Amino acid sequence: MIAEAGLVALWLGAALCALQLVLVVLALKTPFVLSEVEAREASAPPAARPSTSLRTNGEGNEAGETWRALSSAIRPVAVAQGLLTCLAFALLILLFVRVDLSVLLVAQNDHSEKPFLYRFAASWGNHEGSMLMWVSILSIAGAAVAVLERRLNERTLVATLGGQAAIGLGFYAFLLFASNPFARLTPPAMEGQGLNPLLQDPGLAFHPPTLYLGYVGLSVAFSFAIGALVTRDVGPAFARAMRPWVLGAWIFLTIGITAGSYWAYYELGWGGWWFWDPVENASLMPWLAATALLHSVTVLATRDGLRAWTVMLGVVAFSMSMVGTFLVRSGILTSVHAFAVDPRRGSFLLALLALYIGGALALFALRVGTVREGSRFDALSREGSLVLNNLLLTVILGIVLVGTLYPLILEGVTGEKLSVGPPYFNSAAGPLALILGVVMVAGPLMRWRREEVKPLLRRLAPAAALVLIALVVIKVTAPAIGILPLLGLGLSFGIMLGSIEPLIGRNLRRTPLFTWGMVIAHFGIGVALAGMACDSAFTAERLVAASVGDRVQVGPWQVTLKAVTPGFGPNWTSMDATLEAARGGAPVTLLPQARYYWAPPTETSESAILTAWNGQLYTVLGSQAEDGRWQLRLWWKPFVTLIWAGGGLVALGGALALIGRVLRERRSAKNREATA
Amino acid sequence: MSAAPSPARRPWLLWVPLIGFILLATIFIIGLRKPDDPTITSKMIGRPMPAFALPAATSGVDGLTSADLATGTPHLVNIFASWCVPCAGEAPQLEILAKNKVPIVGIAIRDRPDDVAGFLARYGNPYARIGSDTTSKVQIAIGSSGVPETFVVDGKGVIRMQKIGPIMPEDLPGVQAALEAAR
């Protein structure tokens, strides 16, 4: 009965979602309050606009009563909806953990011999389950907004919850009508089909939930944008309310992308960390949009600028995560990770996309003209640098989008099949990313509103000098280095120095936590950039055919093939190499493995990676040649670990900024209460 | 400089994102409507078979070399394995083709001689030659990723068509047509 209970919970959740939408529409239609709010908004200067609730507004009149009744009903509905959907998801997990083979989805993706962790994770490692997870996070995010959000103008909050319900309704419909995870299988299967050993990896089990928290977290930003457009309430208060939600989603996206990159690096055995695969791009595009949004929302919150642009990015960021979902699930792009290749579901998702993105953009075009222009500022100012940051991020986003869709367009026009690879993305996005790095150094050193050239140059001088010295030193010590890695590596030093410069001359203990967050996140970008540049500039690669006893030099390492012995596992046989790697000191043993799975017959390489303080030695065992020698692929990758360390720092910086913002809000709310 | 382009003066600019999205959606619709073609075409199509020499997969049937495929007549090269269930499913269709005088050669993937013999005894032997590819080396070289798969190779040894998955009764006309075209 668990599956039926899950389905009932899901239907109830969907019904409450519909109810939520109806309540929102009725509340927003309550005429008296609407006109009074508008009158007050129009008369109040933007800075002094109160973000208090409207409870006092309709005091004593009938419309006010209706408004109060409706708006107070919406929160509990949102919470109940979130709980019911999570219950449905919990029941699905229970079915997977118990391996209930009378449920179709479980029979297709689970197996009684799977370890507990992977039975657990299998519940979202498939199309239906991951969509249920998507809807669960969506409804929980809506419930969290309903419970936690206290700063937003109450009418805008109601409209925001309406936006969240509208998105939710479409995805509930998709789940219930096109992807029911609780469908029964009669007769039940004898054994489940899901024992694909390649997918049994802790990285793969927890990578999707992290990314989903990011993707769906952006739905809140989208709903905020919709809410603000509906009530024409785009201002600093709105931006301050929206910012923590954007930050939260962005942190999860950052962690998800960083972890996914490292997983692909160690698991796939090809020695690279980013492949520009459509699915990777599907996660990168929302991240780029969210990064731009994060910066423009700051301009709106602090300086009341970039109003229309911020709303626009709020729409675009979640649109990108929906487009990504669509691309991965519709089967219109071929990718190594695409799953649920199904044009019928694709059409359903496309209809949802058209409804939400098209609707939001139309609303934007119609409404944003009535949003008053924000404050003005000079081109040379903190705002100006953030505008440039936004433009660059947007252009990079466009480059990635075009590169991802180009094969699809070309096939539609000429029928030719091709894939767009790293050369396009690196050469098109690389230089722009470097310019972005320069802007990143200069931006935090500028004043708001207006900056003079001379003092700015003085503040930029240390970082610029360091970059110049680094460029000369690198070019002299490594004359063969390519131009992009050279500039990247030189610039990374400037970014690292420039990012800590805002701390200089400050009382560090009194520096707000969110300033620390910005500093650490920017520093992390510098660290990651240094790792990327080092990896592409200094990686030493050897592909050799070695007999046992042979010694191979790669970078500073001497690698000796000591032995190759057969091994076996639960459903594979393998050849295990014993390598001894040394650079002067005592040798370290590495055990790369070549596995053969027999059902279905696949060969995989389990790479062995030795992490040193200054890089990684990456070893892969290939196949045996006719003459009995073994193929060995060896990479020495200096400082490659900085890529993920940098990603981790970026996420940490985001987390500190989020905590800092929330703490400050709480403190100022307390102060307000104390003075009131 | 003003932050965002002033919306009041340039209202058409506000519609650009929507127009951009409509273009995107149009691309998606074209992508969804294109005939569902799950074939992963090998990069080898239009190229000659790579040189290989495979020993006999079982006694009584000769092994296979790439030279056997450049004899002036088109061949079907069928990649199969005794442990592969869909291969058994396509056996009747291969029988029909063999009866129609189509030269069929096989490449047995990761198989043992006794198992191949058992497979042929059970499902018939449409093959003129069967090479044994115990390490999948030739399979990978010709761009095949699974079993069963079938290639149409013309008289000069150039790969003309690749069929992924079992040949079902409805696929027979297509295979015949490809053989005719390769003549």
Side-chain angles (χ1 to χ4, degrees):
Chain A
M1 292 317 282
I2 302 172
E4 284 69 24
L7 196 58
V8 168
L10 198 57
W11 271 105
L12 284 176
L16 285 179
C17 186
L19 177 63
Q20 182 176 335
L21 191 58
V22 170
L23 287 174
V24 167
V25 171
L26 288 178
L28 291 177
K29 278 199 157 175
T30 310
F32 179 71
V33 178
L34 189 129
S35 59
E36 181 165 318
V37 174
E38 278 180 342
R40 205 175 52 161
E41 275 185 0
S43 63
R49 182 178 303 161
S51 59
T52 50
S53 78
L54 295 168
R55 288 209 184 100
T56 51
N57 266 327
E59 200 91 69
N61 76 38
E62 209 173 305
E65 292 287 333
T66 317
W67 161 263
R68 221 171 307 148
L70 286 170
S71 75
S72 61
I74 291 168
R75 286 178 198 239
V77 169
V79 172
Q81 179 211 332
L83 292 178
L84 278 167
T85 312
C86 285
L87 174 66
F89 186 44
L91 291 173
L92 184 72
I93 294 176
L94 185 63
L95 289 172
F96 268 88
V97 170
R98 292 170 53 152
V99 198
D100 184 339
L101 294 168
S102 68
V103 175
L104 180 64
L105 191 66
V106 178
Q108 280 169 347
N109 297 287
D110 209 358
H111 196 286
S112 58
E113 283 171 30
K114 265 189 180 178
F116 176 81
L117 174 71
Y118 301 119
R119 271 184 283 160
F120 190 75
S123 56
W124 61 75
N126 58 76
H127 168 78
E128 286 84 351
S130 66
M131 283 318 293
L132 180 54
M133 184 191 228
W134 169 280
V135 174
S136 303
I137 299 176
L138 190 76
S139 59
I140 275 295
V145 173
V147 172
L148 299 174
E149 190 52 63
R150 307 226 171 271
R151 284 155 297 178
L152 206 57
N153 171 325
E154 185 143 349
R155 241 183 111 244
T156 309
L157 175 61
V158 163
T160 300
L161 290 174
Q164 203 71 12
I167 304 170
L169 207 53
F171 283 96
Y172 277 115
F174 180 60
L175 206 53
L176 290 167
F177 299 126
S179 311
N180 177 12
F182 295 108
R184 288 281 188 187
L185 175 68
T186 40
M190 296 297 286
E191 184 50 279
Q193 297 170 353
L195 195 65
N196 185 346
L198 295 177
L199 298 180
Q200 294 188 26
D201 180 275
L204 208 61
F206 291 103
H207 174 54
T210 321
L211 269 182
Y212 273 28
L213 281 169
Y215 279 170
V216 186
L218 287 176
S219 72
V220 178
F222 182 89
S223 297
F224 265 76
I226 299 298
L229 282 172
V230 167
T231 61
R232 299 182 170 91
D233 177 33
V234 183
F238 154 78
R240 276 195 290 274
M242 179 177 178
R243 178 160 52 185
W245 300 97
V246 178
L247 246 177
W250 178 83
I251 293 165
F252 281 114
L253 273 181
T254 309
I255 297 174
I257 292 173
T258 307
S261 158
Y262 192 67
W263 174 78
Y265 168 83
Y266 80 76
E267 183 63 30
L268 300 183
W270 59 287
W273 55 275
W274 192 262
F275 192 64
W276 296 105
D277 177 88
V279 174
E280 289 177 339
N281 293 345
S283 68
L284 182 63
M285 290 189 286
W287 185 85
L288 289 168
T291 309
L293 174 61
L294 199 56
H295 291 92
S296 80
V297 89
T298 298
V299 176
L300 184 54
T302 351
R303 306 297 315 169
D304 194 18
L306 301 187
R307 290 181 168 192
W309 181 243
T310 303
V311 171
M312 176 76 209
L313 280 178
V315 171
V316 167
F318 183 59
S319 299
M320 281 301 148
S321 46
M322 283 197 286
V323 166
T325 312
F326 167 75
L327 287 179
V328 178
R329 285 150 198 281
S330 61
I332 68 173
L333 281 183
T334 325
S335 149
V336 285
H337 338 36
F339 69 132
V341 177
D342 184 343
R344 194 174 64 90
R345 284 172 179 164
S347 309
F348 201 130
L349 277 176
L350 185 59
L352 290 182
L353 233 61
L355 188 67
Y356 295 139
I357 305 179
L361 291 174
L363 182 68
F364 173 81
L366 289 171
R367 271 294 166 86
V368 92
T370 62
V371 171
R372 268 164 309 152
E373 205 181 317
S375 336
R376 291 171 167 269
F377 50 82
D378 278 9
L380 193 66
S381 63
R382 176 84 69 96
E383 292 96 322
S385 77
L386 287 170
V387 169
L388 193 54
N389 143 309
N390 269 236
L391 290 178
L392 287 166
L393 281 167
T394 310
V395 175
I396 295 173
L397 172 62
I399 287 171
V400 177
L401 186 64
V402 167
T404 310
L405 294 179
Y406 183 72
L408 187 68
I409 301 169
L410 192 73
E411 204 190 329
V413 177
T414 65
E416 195 182 337
K417 284 188 187 185
L418 62 71
S419 56
V420 176
Y424 160 81
F425 290 103
N426 291 345
S427 56
L432 290 175
L434 290 182
I435 299 173
L436 191 59
V438 176
V439 177
M440 208 174 92
V441 177
L445 299 176
M446 291 195 210
R447 281 180 226 284
W448 290 108
R449 197 185 290 276
R450 190 142 194 241
E451 180 58 271
E452 301 295 331
V453 179
K454 270 191 188 157
L456 175 64
L457 287 181
R458 210 162 34 237
R459 268 170 267 151
L460 275 174
L466 183 64
V467 170
L468 279 179
I469 295 169
L471 287 179
V472 171
V473 170
I474 299 162
K475 187 70 194 170
V476 168
T477 48
I481 192 170
I483 183 76
L484 271 185
L486 172 69
L487 292 176
L489 191 53
L491 182 62
S492 71
F493 290 107
I495 294 176
M496 285 187 260
L497 180 66
S499 59
I500 53 176
E501 233 180 296
L503 292 179
I504 292 168
R506 292 183 84 132
N507 181 340
L508 292 186
R509 288 179 51 199
R510 301 200 57 171
T511 302
L513 204 50
F514 49 80
T515 306
W516 277 104
M518 178 196 77
V519 165
I520 291 174
H522 282 191
F523 191 83
I525 296 278
V527 171
L529 179 61
M532 295 169 198
C534 284
D535 178 52
S536 74
F538 305 126
T539 293
E541 181 181 359
R542 288 293 302 274
L543 176 62
V544 292
S547 313
V548 171
D550 282 0
R551 175 176 292 184
V552 187
Q553 181 85 27
V554 54
W557 293 90
Q558 272 155 357
V559 181
T560 315
L561 179 59
K562 286 299 219 191
V564 181
T565 47
F568 66 91
N571 52 351
W572 43 266
T573 58
S574 66
M575 295 311 295
D576 305 349
T578 309
L579 301 177
E580 260 187 19
R583 48 172 181 184
V588 186
T589 305
L590 283 163
L591 304 164
Q593 201 180 41
R595 282 188 191 167
Y596 307 97
Y597 291 90
W598 54 78
T602 22
E603 289 178 34
T604 68
S605 344
E606 299 295 305
S607 55
I609 300 174
L610 169 66
T611 307
W613 67 272
N614 61 345
Q616 287 187 326
L617 180 64
Y618 190 118
T619 64
V620 175
L621 176 68
S623 48
Q624 191 174 24
E626 307 273 303
D627 58 4
R629 290 190 299 170
W630 292 91
Q631 233 182 46
L632 276 182
R633 199 178 264 274
L634 309 171
W635 283 278
W636 166 241
K637 295 174 156 291
F639 299 105
V640 67
T641 36
L642 293 182
I643 296 173
W644 307 290
L649 281 177
V650 175
L652 173 69
L656 290 181
L658 179 60
I659 294 168
R661 293 279 176 214
V662 170
L663 286 182
R664 166 173 280 205
E665 283 296 331
R666 197 169 284 177
R667 222 173 298 136
S668 60
K670 244 181 218 155
N671 288 347
R672 268 202 302 274
E673 265 167 41
T675 49
Chain B
M1 174 184 136
S2 126
S6 169
R9 268 171 285 143
R10 275 174 282 175
W12 58 268
L13 205 61
L14 299 173
W15 295 94
V16 169
L18 184 60
I19 293 163
F21 173 70
I22 290 170
L23 285 178
L24 199 65
T26 316
I27 295 170
F28 290 163
I29 291 170
I30 295 169
L32 279 176
R33 285 173 56 98
K34 82 180 171 203
D36 193 28
D37 176 20
T39 325
I40 304 160
T41 38
S42 163
K43 284 242 157 63
M44 296 301 293
I45 287 187
R47 296 213 212 149
M49 269 278 171
F52 64 85
L54 291 174
T58 184
S59 56
V61 189
D62 289 339
L64 182 69
T65 69
S66 42
D68 298 326
L69 296 170
T71 53
T73 47
H75 281 78
L76 278 190
V77 179
N78 180 243
I79 313 266
F80 76 103
S82 67
W83 44 263
C84 143
V85 178
C87 297
E90 84 173 346
Q93 283 70 253
L94 290 181
E95 282 294 312
I96 294 171
L97 288 165
K99 276 205 189 95
N100 291 350
K101 303 271 185 290
V102 174
I104 305 177
V105 296
I107 297 180
I109 305 297
R110 294 179 184 278
D111 232 331
R112 285 191 296 243
D114 290 350
D115 293 340
V116 175
F119 183 84
L120 298 181
R122 195 146 172 212
Y123 300 107
N125 179 9
Y127 303 104
R129 294 164 169 276
I130 305 176
S132 169
D133 188 9
T134 49
T135 57
S136 288
K137 205 178 241 172
V138 173
Q139 183 187 23
I140 290 165
I142 62 178
S144 152
S145 52
V147 276
E149 259 181 54
T150 306
F151 290 83
V152 172
V153 179
D154 72 10
K156 290 183 194 129
V158 175
I159 299 173
R160 289 297 169 199
M161 193 194 96
Q162 179 184 24
K163 166 84 179 84
I164 293 175
I167 296 177
M168 301 313 284
E170 61 270 22
D171 298 323
L172 285 174
V175 173
Q176 293 275 18
L179 279 164
E180 282 305 315
R183 213 168 273 283

